[in-house]
Amino acid sequence: MAVASTPTVCVVGSGGREHALAVALSRGAEVVVCPGNPGMQALGVTCVEGPAEALDVDLFVIGPEVPLVEGLADRLRARGRTVFGPGADGARLEGSKAWMKQVLADAGVPTAAYEVFDSPGPAVEFLRSLPGPWVVKTDGLAAGKGVLVTGDLNQAEADVLAKLAGASFGDAGRRVVIEEALIGPELSVMAVCDGRTAVALAPARDHKRAFDGDLGPNTGGMGAFSPVPDADGELVDEVMRTAVEPTLEALSSRGIDYRGVLYAGLILTSDGPKVLEFNVRFGDPETQAVLARLQGDLAGLLAAAAAGRLGDAEAPLFGPDVSVCVVMAAPGYPDAPRVGGVISGLGSNLPGGAEVFCAGIASTPQRHGGGHHDSDPAGSGTLITAGGRVLSVAGTGPSLSEARAVAYQGVRSIRWPGAWWRNDIGLSATQAVGLAGAGGVK
Ligand code: AMP
Ligand code: GLY
């Protein structure tokens, strides 16, 4: 009788999302991350140098949007590899907001009214015709930072001019999308797609603004939690029916065989959920929060989707525990992160139920001889900050307030000069359902 061997998986990327994917996938597979980072390596994840094309594994899972938009999935498939992640044709959904809006309009997906502009005169004229608040987006990729939402028309006009001139976001901003502001809480729904069908993962809520109380500039995401008290199964079904499935069908009707995550960023308006954007990959930090609750075989699920046969996999099941993920950032993030700070406390003193996911981390050259430094759990060199979002800490517990307490206890056990984080991840939801207060978390 043949014995099935453990599948091998390569996760492409180097952030907290990829670290979380590696941890979850390793429950059913042998996993490497390419290239990963020295932080995750120190915490036991096998990291390998690229290029990913040179690796021979059963399944590739591509984390970030940039390699997807640049066609990495196509190049791997051309070599006969099995890949979870769309080709460049499908990834355009995230690579061009103007194209995404067109696909949504064709598919009849509820979204904000919008116009696309290449030149300043008509763009400013359109802005002035809107009641505000004003929303200005770069057409192209900007690491989650190309969106301005403001109640100040002058600021919106200045932003349009800077984007179109290429001054603020280079070529990504030379075309802008100006759209109606939607009001309501946000929700992230990530769906695993096999080209024709899709299955939803548990919903999460991100915190996009830099500072407590949703103040400050937009970031890639400062923290997330799952489940979301005001987003039950029925609401997720509605998102699948009105947003994800029609979009997958619209892609398919354009000849696009979309195998990967369709991540709907939504606002829950009084008129129902409306799509702000589709991302073509797992969210960061939503993935860290959502996968902490996943029970069952993620590798099997993604392999089935990559093979175009989602029906062969068991539907994803999520445990009842709540997960809260808090991002720790370098000083100066998101505008101009200052890196190179020595990280201490990683991998030690974590409370039960907490897990660290490493992102913007590098190491100094390996030292010879001597004992291990506190920040050097694997003896591979001192770990230092190397990016804006340095790491995230996910805490799980039976309630939102307990999960928050675990996550923040984990956060406080890790240090580097100028480390900062939001203190209110998940807080509004604990207040909304009357659960706040436990654990004295600030
Ligand atoms: P996006 O990259 O399009 O998801 O936008 C980043 C963030 O900007 C979103 O998560 C929202 O917080 C905010 N945002 C984007 N578009 C709108 C809109 N039309 N109305 C209100 N807020 C928006
Ligand atoms: N957390 C937002 C994103 O992944 O785009």
Side-chain angles (χ1 to χ4, degrees), residues 33-47:
V33 181
C34 177
N37 67 60
M40 55 176 98
Q41 175 107 18
L43 297 182
V45 174
T46 305
C47 299

Side-chain angles (χ1 to χ4, degrees), residues 97 112 135 137 144 147 149 179-182 186 208 218 267 276-277:
K97 285 194 193 282
V135 182
K137 303 184 174 187
V147 175
V149 182
E179 67 183 35
E180 166 199 16
L182 299 175
E186 292 192 38
K208 290 268 172 51
N218 267 323
I267 289 205
L276 286 181
E277 61 167 351

Side-chain angles (χ1 to χ4, degrees), residues 97 100-101 111-113 133-137 144-149 179-184 186 206-209 218-219 263 265-267 275-279:
K97 285 194 193 282
M100 180 261 297
K101 293 295 272 191
T111 184
W134 294 271
V135 182
V136 182
K137 303 184 174 187
K145 292 167 233 161
V147 175
L148 176 75
V149 182
E179 67 183 35
E180 166 199 16
L182 299 175
I183 311 294
E186 292 192 38
D206 191 9
H207 296 61
K208 290 268 172 51
R209 299 282 186 152
N218 267 323
T219 68
Y263 152 168
L266 304 140
I267 289 205
V275 172
L276 286 181
E277 61 167 351
F278 269 111
N279 294 318

Side-chain angles (χ1 to χ4, degrees), residues 267-291:
I267 289 205
L268 307 179
T269 74
S270 51
D271 277 346
K274 293 194 180 181
V275 172
L276 286 181
E277 61 167 351
F278 269 111
N279 294 318
V280 298
R281 47 161 180 91
F282 287 99
D284 187 343
E286 290 95 323
T287 300
Q288 291 89 310
V290 168
L291 293 186

Side-chain angles (χ1 to χ4, degrees), residues 116-362:
V116 180
F117 298 94
D118 298 296
S119 57
V124 167
E125 196 179 320
F126 182 63
L127 272 180
R128 290 180 184 165
S129 74
L130 297 175
W134 294 271
V135 182
V136 182
K137 303 184 174 187
T138 59
D139 177 45
L141 293 179
K145 292 167 233 161
V147 175
L148 176 75
V149 182
T150 180
D152 177 348
L153 179 58
N154 289 329
Q155 191 190 12
E157 290 188 19
D159 187 64
V160 160
L161 299 183
K163 279 176 176 154
L164 287 176
S168 46
F169 291 95
D171 286 345
R174 290 189 191 276
R175 170 174 291 171
V176 295
V177 173
I178 297 177
E179 67 183 35
E180 166 199 16
L182 299 175
I183 311 294
E186 292 192 38
L187 189 71
S188 302
V189 174
M190 298 183 282
V192 171
C193 306
D194 73 355
R196 289 159 299 128
T197 60
V199 61
L201 303 182
R205 178 159 293 151
D206 191 9
H207 296 61
K208 290 268 172 51
R209 299 282 186 152
F211 308 129
D212 286 10
D214 286 332
L215 299 174
N218 267 323
T219 68
M222 294 301 296
F225 63 91
S226 174
V228 180
D230 51 316
D232 59 10
E234 232 168 84
L235 183 82
V236 173
D237 288 347
E238 184 182 349
V239 169
M240 293 300 284
R241 210 175 48 246
T242 61
V244 173
E245 286 161 10
T247 300
L248 193 55
E249 220 172 280
L251 291 170
S252 176
S253 73
R254 286 168 158 82
I256 297 172
D257 184 9
Y258 192 100
R259 302 182 189 192
V261 171
L262 268 182
Y263 152 168
L266 304 140
I267 289 205
L268 307 179
T269 74
S270 51
D271 277 346
K274 293 194 180 181
V275 172
L276 286 181
E277 61 167 351
F278 269 111
N279 294 318
V280 298
R281 47 161 180 91
F282 287 99
D284 187 343
E286 290 95 323
T287 300
Q288 291 89 310
V290 168
L291 293 186
R293 301 182 49 229
L294 179 67
Q295 299 176 332
D297 179 15
L298 181 65
L301 179 73
L302 302 190
R309 290 195 309 269
L310 206 39
D312 288 356
E314 283 172 25
L317 259 185
F318 291 87
D321 268 3
V322 177
S323 173
V324 172
C325 178
V326 179
V327 170
M328 297 180 72
Y333 179 75
D335 295 335
R338 294 189 296 284
V339 299
V342 173
I343 302 169
S344 62
L346 196 66
S348 54
N349 300 322
L350 272 187
E355 198 151 5
V356 176
F357 300 108
C358 297
I361 296 182

